[in-house]
Amino acid sequence: MATRATIGHRLFTVMRHDPIAGRNRRIFTSDPVAYPVSGHKPVDWAHPWAQRVLRHGEPWIGQTSADIAWAYPDHERIAAMGLGSAMNLPVRWNGVVLGTVNLLDAEGHFAEESAIRGMVFAALAVPALLAIDEA
């Protein structure tokens, strides 16, 4: 996987954003046991994470377990997997956030330059996310 070689991660997921239903649906995962493709996460529009990533289309990096707890309702499951940092990359098309590419690893793993490289990979997910709507 190119993202593992370029940026590094222990968990990689892709979520399709559904603003009408108010949830994100997992369409790809590198760990189908812990995070199966069928999973959904509700969107809390009042949360600053949702505003940053889903409304404004800006990447978010959480460097610590405390950051993960702030952003993710399933933070205890993430911590139990030994993951302490995350990077959420919005997948955008024509100014609309279609979903996110999410990379998780050990605490302190991701840096700001990781998001710059990661946004290139996020852009590559556009055709797959658009194809979901056609299926």
Side-chain angles (χ1 to χ4, degrees):
M1 182 176 283
T3 52
R4 183 171 283 143
T6 305
I7 300 168
H9 56 79
R10 290 184 28 219
L11 177 63
F12 178 95
T13 66
V14 179
M15 304 291 278
R16 178 61 167 107
H17 178 53
D18 183 346
I20 295 169
R23 65 184 185 182
N24 295 316
R25 178 172 49 107
R26 193 172 304 104
I27 63 163
F28 178 83
T29 179
S30 64
D31 188 343
V33 173
Y35 282 96
V37 167
S38 61
H40 291 86
K41 286 191 177 186
V43 174
D44 176 0
W45 286 111
H47 197 285
W49 180 95
Q51 292 297 312
R52 178 182 179 97
V53 178
L54 300 176
R55 191 166 312 274
H56 299 294
E58 299 172 3
W60 178 81
I61 295 175
Q63 292 286 9
T64 67
S65 296
D67 295 337
I68 300 280
W70 173 82
Y72 293 176
D74 57 341
H75 62 91
E76 291 173 349
R77 173 188 246 175
I78 292 167
M81 294 174 66
L83 303 170
S85 66
M87 181 167 61
N88 304 124
L89 305 164
V91 177
R92 298 180 59 146
W93 179 250
N94 288 335
V96 175
V97 175
L98 301 175
T100 59
V101 170
N102 312 293
L103 292 78
L104 291 90
D105 208 302
E107 197 159 299
H109 179 79
F110 301 106
E112 291 301 318
E113 59 269 10
S114 301
I116 295 167
R117 288 182 300 214
M119 288 303 290
V120 173
F121 290 105
L124 295 173
V126 167
L129 291 177
L130 289 174
I132 287 171
D133 293 342
E134 296 171 1

